[in-house]
Coordinates of all heavy atoms in Angstrom, one line a residue:
M4 N 137.7 119.0 87.5 CA 136.6 118.0 87.3 C 137.2 116.9 86.3 O 138.0 117.2 85.4 CB 135.5 118.7 86.6 CG 134.8 119.8 87.5 SD 133.4 120.5 86.7 CE 132.1 119.5 87.4
A5 N 136.6 115.7 86.5 CA 137.0 114.6 85.7 C 136.0 114.3 84.6 O 134.9 114.7 84.7 CB 137.1 113.4 86.6
V6 N 136.5 113.6 83.6 CA 135.6 113.2 82.5 C 134.4 112.5 83.0 O 134.6 111.7 83.9 CB 136.4 112.4 81.4 CG1 135.5 111.8 80.4 CG2 137.5 113.2 80.8
N7 N 133.3 112.8 82.5 CA 132.0 112.2 82.9 C 131.4 112.8 84.2 O 130.3 112.4 84.6 CB 132.0 110.7 82.9 CG 132.1 110.1 81.5 OD1 131.6 110.6 80.6 ND2 132.9 109.0 81.4
D8 N 132.1 113.7 84.8 CA 131.5 114.4 86.0 C 130.4 115.3 85.4 O 130.4 115.8 84.3 CB 132.5 115.4 86.7 CG 133.4 114.6 87.6 OD1 133.2 113.4 87.9 OD2 134.3 115.3 88.2
I9 N 129.4 115.5 86.3 CA 128.3 116.4 85.9 C 128.7 117.9 86.1 O 129.3 118.2 87.2 CB 127.0 116.1 86.7 CG1 126.5 114.7 86.4 CG2 125.9 117.1 86.5 CD1 125.4 114.2 87.3
V10 N 128.4 118.7 85.1 CA 128.6 120.1 85.3 C 127.2 120.8 85.3 O 126.4 120.5 84.5 CB 129.5 120.7 84.1 CG1 128.8 120.5 82.8 CG2 129.7 122.2 84.3
T11 N 127.0 121.6 86.4 CA 125.7 122.2 86.5 C 125.8 123.5 87.3 O 126.8 123.7 88.0 CB 124.8 121.2 87.3 OG1 123.5 121.7 87.3 CG2 125.3 121.0 88.7
V12 N 124.8 124.3 87.1 CA 124.8 125.5 87.9 C 123.3 125.6 88.5 O 122.4 125.2 87.8 CB 125.1 126.8 87.1 CG1 124.1 127.1 86.0 CG2 125.2 128.0 88.0
A13 N 123.2 125.9 89.8 CA 121.9 126.0 90.4 C 121.2 127.2 89.7 O 121.8 128.1 89.2 CB 122.1 126.3 91.9
P14 N 119.9 127.2 89.8 CA 119.1 128.3 89.2 C 119.7 129.6 89.8 O 119.8 129.8 91.0 CB 117.7 128.1 89.7 CG 117.6 126.6 89.8 CD 119.0 126.2 90.3
T15 N 120.1 130.5 88.9 CA 120.7 131.7 89.2 C 119.9 132.9 88.7 O 119.5 132.9 87.5 CB 122.1 131.8 88.5 OG1 122.9 130.6 89.0 CG2 122.9 133.0 88.8
S16 N 119.6 133.9 89.5 CA 118.9 135.0 89.1 C 119.7 135.9 88.2 O 120.8 136.4 88.6 CB 118.4 135.8 90.4 OG 117.6 136.9 90.0
I17 N 119.2 136.2 87.0 CA 119.9 137.0 86.0 C 119.0 138.2 85.8 O 117.9 138.1 85.4 CB 120.2 136.2 84.7 CG1 121.0 134.9 85.0 CG2 120.9 137.1 83.7 CD1 122.3 135.1 85.6
A18 N 119.6 139.4 85.9 CA 118.9 140.6 85.7 C 118.5 140.7 84.2 O 119.1 140.1 83.3 CB 119.8 141.8 86.0
N19 N 117.4 141.5 83.9 CA 117.0 141.8 82.6 C 118.2 142.3 81.8 O 118.9 143.2 82.2 CB 115.8 142.7 82.6 CG 115.3 142.9 81.2 OD1 115.0 141.9 80.5 ND2 115.1 144.1 80.7
N20 N 118.3 141.8 80.5 CA 119.4 142.2 79.6 C 120.8 141.8 80.0 O 121.7 142.2 79.4 CB 119.3 143.7 79.2 CG 118.1 144.0 78.4 OD1 117.8 143.2 77.5 ND2 117.5 145.1 78.6
A21 N 120.9 141.0 81.1 CA 122.2 140.4 81.5 C 122.2 139.0 81.0 O 121.2 138.4 80.6 CB 122.4 140.5 83.0
S22 N 123.4 138.4 81.1 CA 123.6 137.0 80.6 C 124.3 136.1 81.6 O 125.1 136.5 82.4 CB 124.5 137.0 79.3 OG 123.9 137.8 78.3
L23 N 124.0 134.8 81.5 CA 124.7 133.8 82.2 C 125.6 133.1 81.2 O 125.3 132.8 80.1 CB 123.7 132.7 82.7 CG 124.3 131.5 83.4 CD1 124.9 132.0 84.8 CD2 123.3 130.4 83.7
T24 N 126.9 133.0 81.6 CA 127.9 132.5 80.7 C 128.2 131.0 81.1 O 128.4 130.7 82.2 CB 129.3 133.3 80.9 OG1 129.0 134.7 80.5 CG2 130.3 132.8 80.0
L25 N 128.2 130.2 80.0 CA 128.6 128.8 80.2 C 129.9 128.6 79.5 O 130.0 128.5 78.3 CB 127.5 127.9 79.5 CG 126.1 127.9 80.0 CD1 125.4 129.2 79.7 CD2 125.3 126.8 79.3
Q26 N 131.0 128.6 80.3 CA 132.3 128.5 79.7 C 133.2 127.6 80.6 O 133.5 127.9 81.8 CB 132.9 129.9 79.7 CG 134.3 130.0 79.1 CD 134.9 131.4 79.0 OE1 134.5 132.3 79.8 NE2 135.8 131.6 78.1
P27 N 133.7 126.5 80.0 CA 134.7 125.7 80.7 C 136.0 126.4 81.0 O 136.3 127.3 80.2 CB 134.9 124.5 79.8 CG 133.8 124.6 78.7 CD 133.4 126.0 78.7
G28 N 136.7 125.9 81.9 CA 138.1 126.4 82.2 C 139.0 126.0 81.0 O 138.7 125.2 80.2
A29 N 140.2 126.6 81.0 CA 141.2 126.3 79.9 C 141.5 124.8 79.9 O 141.7 124.2 80.9 CB 142.5 127.1 80.2
G30 N 141.5 124.2 78.7 CA 141.8 122.8 78.5 C 140.6 121.9 78.8 O 140.7 120.7 78.5
A31 N 139.5 122.4 79.3 CA 138.3 121.5 79.5 C 137.3 121.6 78.4 O 137.3 122.6 77.6 CB 137.7 121.9 80.8
E32 N 136.5 120.6 78.3 CA 135.3 120.6 77.3 C 134.1 120.2 78.1 O 134.2 119.2 78.9 CB 135.6 119.7 76.2 CG 136.7 120.2 75.3 CD 137.0 119.2 74.1 OE1 136.4 118.1 74.1 OE2 137.9 119.5 73.3
W33 N 133.0 120.8 77.8 CA 131.7 120.4 78.4 C 130.7 120.0 77.2 O 130.7 120.7 76.2 CB 131.1 121.5 79.1 CG 131.8 122.0 80.4 CD1 132.8 121.4 81.0 CD2 131.5 123.2 81.1 NE1 133.2 122.1 82.1 CE2 132.4 123.2 82.2 CE3 130.5 124.2 81.0 CZ2 132.4 124.2 83.1 CZ3 130.5 125.2 81.9 CH2 131.4 125.2 82.9
L34 N 129.9 119.1 77.5 CA 128.7 118.8 76.6 C 127.5 119.1 77.4 O 127.1 118.4 78.4 CB 128.7 117.3 76.2 CG 127.5 116.9 75.3 CD1 127.6 117.6 74.0 CD2 127.5 115.4 75.1
I35 N 126.9 120.3 77.1 CA 125.7 120.8 77.8 C 124.5 120.1 77.2 O 124.2 120.1 76.0 CB 125.6 122.3 77.7 CG1 126.8 123.0 78.3 CG2 124.3 122.8 78.3 CD1 127.0 122.6 79.8
K36 N 123.7 119.5 78.1 CA 122.5 118.7 77.6 C 121.2 119.4 77.9 O 120.2 119.2 77.1 CB 122.5 117.3 78.4 CG 123.7 116.5 78.1 CD 123.9 116.1 76.6 CE 122.7 115.3 76.1 NZ 122.8 115.0 74.6
N37 N 121.1 120.2 78.9 CA 119.8 120.9 79.2 C 120.0 122.3 79.6 O 120.9 122.6 80.4 CB 119.1 120.1 80.4 CG 118.9 118.7 80.0 OD1 118.1 118.4 79.1 ND2 119.5 117.8 80.8
L38 N 119.2 123.2 79.1 CA 119.1 124.6 79.6 C 117.7 124.8 80.2 O 116.7 124.3 79.7 CB 119.3 125.5 78.3 CG 120.5 125.3 77.5 CD1 120.4 126.2 76.3 CD2 121.8 125.6 78.3
Y39 N 117.7 125.6 81.2 CA 116.4 125.9 81.9 C 116.3 127.4 82.1 O 117.3 128.0 82.5 CB 116.4 125.2 83.3 CG 116.8 123.8 83.3 CD1 118.1 123.4 83.5 CD2 115.9 122.8 83.1 CE1 118.5 122.1 83.6 CE2 116.2 121.4 83.2 CZ 117.6 121.1 83.4 OH 117.9 119.8 83.4
Y40 N 115.2 128.0 81.9 CA 115.0 129.4 82.1 C 113.6 129.8 82.5 O 112.6 129.2 82.0 CB 115.5 130.2 80.8 CG 115.1 129.6 79.5 CD1 113.8 129.8 78.9 CD2 116.0 128.7 78.8 CE1 113.5 129.2 77.7 CE2 115.6 128.1 77.6 CZ 114.4 128.4 77.1 OH 114.0 127.8 75.9
G41 N 113.5 130.8 83.3 CA 112.3 131.3 83.9 C 111.7 132.5 83.2 O 110.9 133.2 83.8
G42 N 112.0 132.7 82.0 CA 111.5 133.9 81.2 C 112.1 133.9 79.8 O 112.9 133.0 79.5
A43 N 111.8 134.8 79.0 CA 112.3 134.9 77.6 C 113.8 135.1 77.6 O 114.4 135.8 78.4 CB 111.6 136.1 77.0
V44 N 114.4 134.3 76.7 CA 115.9 134.3 76.6 C 116.3 134.4 75.1 O 115.6 134.1 74.2 CB 116.5 133.1 77.2 CG1 116.3 133.1 78.7 CG2 116.0 131.8 76.6
E45 N 117.6 134.8 74.9 CA 118.3 134.6 73.7 C 119.5 133.8 74.0 O 120.2 134.0 75.0 CB 118.7 136.0 73.1 CG 117.5 136.8 72.7 CD 117.9 138.2 72.2 OE1 119.1 138.6 72.4 OE2 117.0 138.9 71.7
I46 N 119.9 132.8 73.1 CA 121.0 131.9 73.4 C 122.1 132.2 72.3 O 121.7 132.3 71.1 CB 120.6 130.5 73.3 CG1 119.5 130.2 74.4 CG2 121.8 129.5 73.5 CD1 118.7 128.9 74.2
Y47 N 123.3 132.5 72.8 CA 124.4 132.8 71.9 C 125.5 131.9 72.0 O 125.9 131.4 73.0 CB 124.9 134.2 72.2 CG 123.9 135.3 72.0 CD1 123.0 135.7 72.9 CD2 123.9 136.0 70.7 CE1 122.1 136.7 72.7 CE2 123.0 137.1 70.5 CZ 122.1 137.4 71.5 OH 121.2 138.4 71.2
R48 N 126.2 131.6 70.8 CA 127.5 131.0 70.8 C 128.5 132.1 70.6 O 128.3 133.0 69.8 CB 127.5 130.0 69.6 CG 128.7 129.2 69.4 CD 128.7 128.1 70.4 NE 129.9 127.2 70.1 CZ 129.9 126.0 70.5 NH1 128.9 125.5 71.2 NH2 131.0 125.2 70.3
T49 N 129.6 132.1 71.3 CA 130.6 133.2 71.3 C 132.0 132.7 71.5 O 132.2 131.6 72.1 CB 130.2 134.2 72.3 OG1 131.1 135.4 72.2 CG2 130.3 133.7 73.7
D50 N 132.9 133.5 71.1 CA 134.3 133.3 71.4 C 134.8 134.4 72.3 O 136.0 134.6 72.5 CB 135.2 133.2 70.1 CG 135.2 134.5 69.3 OD1 134.6 135.5 69.7 OD2 135.8 134.5 68.2
G51 N 133.9 135.2 72.8 CA 134.2 136.4 73.6 C 134.2 137.7 72.9 O 134.1 138.7 73.5
T52 N 134.4 137.6 71.6 CA 134.4 138.8 70.7 C 133.3 138.8 69.7 O 132.6 139.7 69.5 CB 135.8 138.9 69.9 OG1 136.8 138.9 70.9 CG2 135.8 140.1 69.1
N53 N 133.1 137.6 69.0 CA 132.1 137.4 68.0 C 131.0 136.5 68.5 O 131.3 135.4 69.0 CB 132.7 136.8 66.7 CG 133.9 137.7 66.3 OD1 133.7 138.8 65.9 ND2 135.0 137.1 66.2
S54 N 129.7 137.0 68.4 CA 128.6 136.2 69.0 C 127.6 135.9 67.8 O 127.4 136.7 67.0 CB 127.9 136.9 70.1 OG 128.7 137.1 71.2
I55 N 127.1 134.7 67.9 CA 126.0 134.2 67.0 C 124.8 133.9 67.8 O 124.9 133.0 68.7 CB 126.5 133.0 66.1 CG1 127.7 133.3 65.4 CG2 125.3 132.6 65.2 CD1 128.4 132.0 64.8
K56 N 123.7 134.5 67.5 CA 122.4 134.1 68.2 C 122.0 132.8 67.5 O 121.7 132.8 66.4 CB 121.4 135.2 68.1 CG 120.1 134.9 68.9 CD 119.2 136.1 69.0 CE 118.1 136.1 68.1 NZ 117.1 137.2 68.3
I57 N 121.9 131.8 68.3 CA 121.6 130.4 67.8 C 120.1 130.0 68.1 O 119.6 129.1 67.5 CB 122.6 129.3 68.3 CG1 122.6 129.2 69.8 CG2 124.0 129.6 67.7 CD1 123.3 128.0 70.3
D58 N 119.5 130.7 69.1 CA 118.1 130.3 69.4 C 117.6 131.4 70.3 O 118.3 132.3 70.8 CB 118.1 129.0 70.2 CG 116.8 128.3 70.1 OD1 115.8 128.9 69.5 OD2 116.7 127.2 70.6
S59 N 116.3 131.4 70.4 CA 115.6 132.3 71.3 C 114.3 131.7 71.7 O 113.8 130.8 71.1 CB 115.3 133.7 70.7 OG 114.5 133.6 69.6
D60 N 113.7 132.1 72.9 CA 112.4 131.6 73.3 C 111.8 132.8 74.1 O 112.4 133.4 74.9 CB 112.6 130.5 74.3 CG 111.3 129.7 74.6 OD1 110.2 130.3 74.4 OD2 111.4 128.5 75.0
G61 N 110.5 133.0 73.7 CA 109.8 134.1 74.3 C 109.0 133.8 75.6 O 108.3 134.6 76.1
A62 N 109.3 132.6 76.1 CA 108.5 132.2 77.3 C 109.4 131.4 78.3 O 110.5 131.0 77.9 CB 107.3 131.3 76.9
T63 N 108.9 131.1 79.4 CA 109.6 130.2 80.4 C 109.7 128.8 79.7 O 108.8 128.3 79.0 CB 108.7 130.1 81.7 OG1 108.7 131.4 82.3 CG2 109.3 129.1 82.6
G64 N 110.8 128.1 80.0 CA 111.0 126.8 79.4 C 112.4 126.3 79.5 O 113.1 126.5 80.5
G65 N 112.8 125.6 78.4 CA 114.2 125.1 78.4 C 114.4 124.4 77.0 O 113.6 124.4 76.2
R66 N 115.6 124.0 76.9 CA 116.1 123.2 75.8 C 116.6 121.9 76.4 O 117.6 121.9 77.2 CB 117.2 123.9 75.0 CG 116.7 125.1 74.3 CD 115.8 124.8 73.1 NE 115.3 125.9 72.4 CZ 114.1 126.5 72.7 NH1 113.4 126.1 73.7 NH2 113.7 127.6 72.0
F67 N 116.0 120.8 76.1 CA 116.2 119.5 76.8 C 116.8 118.5 75.8 O 116.4 118.5 74.6 CB 115.0 119.0 77.4 CG 114.3 120.0 78.3 CD1 113.1 120.6 77.9 CD2 114.9 120.4 79.5 CE1 112.5 121.6 78.7 CE2 114.3 121.4 80.3 CZ 113.1 121.9 79.9
S68 N 117.7 117.7 76.2 CA 118.4 116.7 75.4 C 119.1 117.3 74.2 O 119.2 116.8 73.1 CB 117.4 115.6 74.9 OG 116.8 114.9 76.0
A69 N 119.7 118.5 74.5 CA 120.5 119.2 73.5 C 121.9 118.6 73.5 O 122.2 117.7 74.2 CB 120.5 120.7 73.8
S70 N 122.7 119.1 72.6 CA 124.1 118.7 72.5 C 125.0 119.9 72.1 O 125.3 120.1 71.0 CB 124.3 117.6 71.5 OG 123.7 116.4 72.0
F71 N 125.3 120.7 73.1 CA 126.1 121.9 72.9 C 127.5 121.6 73.4 O 127.7 121.4 74.6 CB 125.6 123.1 73.6 CG 124.2 123.5 73.2 CD1 123.1 123.4 74.1 CD2 124.0 124.1 71.9 CE1 121.9 123.8 73.7 CE2 122.7 124.5 71.6 CZ 121.7 124.4 72.4
L72 N 128.5 121.4 72.5 CA 129.9 121.2 72.9 C 130.6 122.5 73.1 O 130.7 123.3 72.2 CB 130.6 120.3 71.9 CG 132.0 119.8 72.2 CD1 132.0 119.0 73.5 CD2 132.6 119.1 71.1
L73 N 131.1 122.7 74.3 CA 131.7 124.0 74.7 C 133.2 123.8 75.1 O 133.5 122.8 75.7 CB 131.0 124.6 75.9 CG 129.5 124.8 75.7 CD1 128.9 125.5 77.0 CD2 129.1 125.5 74.5
T74 N 134.0 124.8 74.7 CA 135.4 124.9 75.1 C 135.6 126.2 75.7 O 134.7 127.1 75.7 CB 136.4 124.7 74.0 OG1 136.3 125.8 73.1 CG2 136.1 123.4 73.2
N75 N 136.8 126.5 76.3 CA 137.1 127.8 76.8 C 137.1 128.8 75.8 O 136.8 130.0 76.1 CB 138.5 127.7 77.5 CG 138.8 129.0 78.2 OD1 139.5 129.8 77.7 ND2 138.2 129.2 79.4
A76 N 137.4 128.5 74.5 CA 137.5 129.5 73.5 C 136.2 129.6 72.6 O 136.0 130.5 71.9 CB 138.6 129.1 72.5
S77 N 135.3 128.6 72.8 CA 134.0 128.6 72.0 C 132.9 128.2 73.0 O 132.8 127.0 73.3 CB 134.1 127.6 70.8 OG 132.9 127.7 70.1
Y78 N 132.2 129.1 73.5 CA 131.2 128.8 74.6 C 129.9 129.5 74.4 O 129.6 130.0 73.3 CB 131.9 129.2 75.9 CG 132.4 130.7 76.0 CD1 131.6 131.7 76.6 CD2 133.6 131.0 75.5 CE1 132.0 133.0 76.6 CE2 134.1 132.3 75.6 CZ 133.3 133.3 76.1 OH 133.7 134.6 76.2
M79 N 129.0 129.5 75.4 CA 127.7 130.1 75.2 C 127.3 131.1 76.3 O 127.9 131.1 77.4 CB 126.6 128.9 75.3 CG 126.7 127.9 74.3 SD 125.6 126.5 74.6 CE 124.0 127.3 74.4
T80 N 126.4 131.9 75.9 CA 125.8 132.8 76.9 C 124.3 132.7 76.7 O 123.8 132.5 75.6 CB 126.2 134.3 76.8 OG1 125.9 134.8 75.5 CG2 127.7 134.5 77.0
I81 N 123.5 132.8 77.8 CA 122.1 132.9 77.8 C 121.7 134.2 78.3 O 121.9 134.5 79.5 CB 121.5 131.7 78.6 CG1 122.0 130.4 78.2 CG2 119.9 131.8 78.5 CD1 121.6 129.2 79.1
K82 N 121.1 135.0 77.5 CA 120.7 136.4 77.8 C 119.2 136.4 78.2 O 118.3 136.0 77.5 CB 120.9 137.3 76.6 CG 120.6 138.8 76.9 CD 120.9 139.7 75.7 CE 120.6 141.1 76.0 NZ 120.9 141.9 74.8
N83 N 119.0 137.0 79.4 CA 117.6 137.2 79.8 C 117.0 138.5 79.1 O 117.5 139.6 79.3 CB 117.6 137.4 81.4 CG 116.2 137.8 81.9 OD1 115.2 137.7 81.2 ND2 116.2 138.3 83.1
V84 N 115.9 138.3 78.4 CA 115.3 139.4 77.7 C 113.8 139.5 78.1 O 113.0 140.0 77.4 CB 115.4 139.3 76.1 CG1 116.9 139.4 75.7 CG2 114.8 138.0 75.6
S85 N 113.5 139.0 79.3 CA 112.1 138.9 79.8 C 111.5 140.2 80.3 O 110.3 140.3 80.5 CB 112.0 137.8 80.9 OG 112.7 138.3 82.0
G86 N 112.4 141.2 80.5 CA 111.9 142.4 81.1 C 112.0 142.5 82.6 O 111.9 143.6 83.2
V87 N 112.3 141.4 83.3 CA 112.5 141.4 84.7 C 113.6 140.3 85.0 O 114.0 139.6 84.1 CB 111.2 141.0 85.5 CG1 110.1 142.0 85.3 CG2 110.7 139.6 85.0
A88 N 114.1 140.3 86.2 CA 115.0 139.2 86.6 C 114.4 137.9 86.4 O 113.2 137.7 86.6 CB 115.5 139.4 88.0
A89 N 115.2 136.9 85.9 CA 114.7 135.5 85.7 C 115.8 134.5 86.1 O 117.0 134.8 86.0 CB 114.3 135.3 84.3
Y90 N 115.3 133.4 86.5 CA 116.3 132.3 86.9 C 116.7 131.5 85.6 O 115.8 131.2 84.8 CB 115.7 131.4 87.9 CG 115.6 132.0 89.3 CD1 114.4 132.5 89.8 CD2 116.7 132.0 90.1 CE1 114.4 133.1 91.0 CE2 116.7 132.6 91.4 CZ 115.5 133.1 91.8 OH 115.5 133.7 93.0
I91 N 118.0 131.2 85.5 CA 118.5 130.5 84.4 C 119.5 129.4 85.0 O 120.2 129.7 86.0 CB 119.3 131.4 83.4 CG1 118.3 132.4 82.9 CG2 119.9 130.5 82.3 CD1 119.0 133.4 81.9
S92 N 119.5 128.2 84.4 CA 120.3 127.1 84.9 C 120.7 126.2 83.7 O 120.1 126.3 82.6 CB 119.5 126.3 85.9 OG 120.3 125.2 86.5
Y93 N 121.6 125.3 83.9 CA 122.0 124.3 82.9 C 122.6 123.1 83.6 O 123.0 123.2 84.7 CB 123.0 125.0 81.9 CG 124.3 125.4 82.5 CD1 125.4 124.6 82.6 CD2 124.5 126.7 82.9 CE1 126.6 125.0 83.1 CE2 125.7 127.2 83.4 CZ 126.7 126.3 83.5 OH 127.9 126.7 84.1
D94 N 122.8 122.1 82.8 CA 123.5 120.9 83.2 C 124.1 120.2 82.0 O 123.6 120.3 80.9 CB 122.7 120.0 84.1 CG 121.5 119.4 83.5 OD1 121.5 118.9 82.4 OD2 120.4 119.4 84.1
G95 N 125.1 119.3 82.3 CA 125.7 118.6 81.2 C 126.8 117.7 81.8 O 126.9 117.4 83.0
L96 N 127.8 117.3 80.9 CA 128.9 116.5 81.3 C 130.2 117.1 80.9 O 130.3 117.7 79.9 CB 128.7 115.1 80.6 CG 127.5 114.3 80.9 CD1 127.4 113.1 80.0 CD2 127.5 113.8 82.4
V97 N 131.2 116.7 81.7 CA 132.6 117.1 81.4 C 133.1 116.0 80.4 O 133.0 114.8 80.6 CB 133.5 117.1 82.6 CG1 135.0 117.3 82.2 CG2 133.0 118.2 83.6
T98 N 133.6 116.5 79.2 CA 134.1 115.5 78.2 C 135.6 115.5 78.1 O 136.1 114.6 77.4 CB 133.4 115.8 76.8 OG1 133.7 117.1 76.5 CG2 131.9 115.6 76.9
K99 N 136.2 116.5 78.6 CA 137.7 116.5 78.6 C 138.2 117.4 79.8 O 137.6 118.4 80.1 CB 138.2 117.2 77.3 CG 139.7 117.3 77.2 CD 140.1 117.9 75.8 CE 141.5 118.1 75.8 NZ 141.9 118.9 74.6

């Protein structure tokens, strides 16, 4: 992908207590602008070993006009905690 390309994932069904990972490939960087979710979620920043819960939402919704800068070594997961499968999606831009 080239700089300023759109990075996105179509709404993806995520099982309860499972996570969607937002992780660029090696050497790439993404600026994630919007998160979308169809149920309660927890949002984590991680390096694959250590995770920090940075946000949560108990209902369907999203985080819009955000600025999450991700690399292959520092990325995000969105965990579905709704009790049932829920759709999760995101979009943003390639910055490197």
Side-chain angles (χ1 to χ4, degrees):
M4 298 182 93
V6 171
N7 291 324
D8 279 355
I9 294 173
V10 59
T11 187
V12 67
T15 303
S16 182
I17 304 297
N19 185 50
N20 287 320
S22 298
L23 178 68
T24 300
L25 294 70
Q26 182 180 26
E32 294 176 356
W33 295 349
L34 181 63
I35 300 300
K36 298 302 293 177
N37 300 296
L38 306 174
Y39 313 91
Y40 39 85
V44 296
E45 295 175 348
I46 303 168
Y47 293 87
R48 183 78 174 198
T49 186
D50 63 5
T52 302
N53 305 299
S54 296
I55 302 168
K56 185 165 102 173
I57 60 170
D58 204 355
S59 63
D60 193 339
T63 297
R66 294 291 179 264
F67 309 108
S68 298
S70 290
F71 299 112
L72 185 58
L73 308 182
T74 68
N75 184 259
S77 182
Y78 54 98
M79 296 175 66
T80 60
I81 305 173
K82 182 177 181 181
N83 173 13
V84 294
S85 68
V87 297
Y90 285 99
I91 300 176
S92 182
Y93 62 88
D94 60 47
L96 297 172
V97 175
T98 57
K99 178 179 173 189

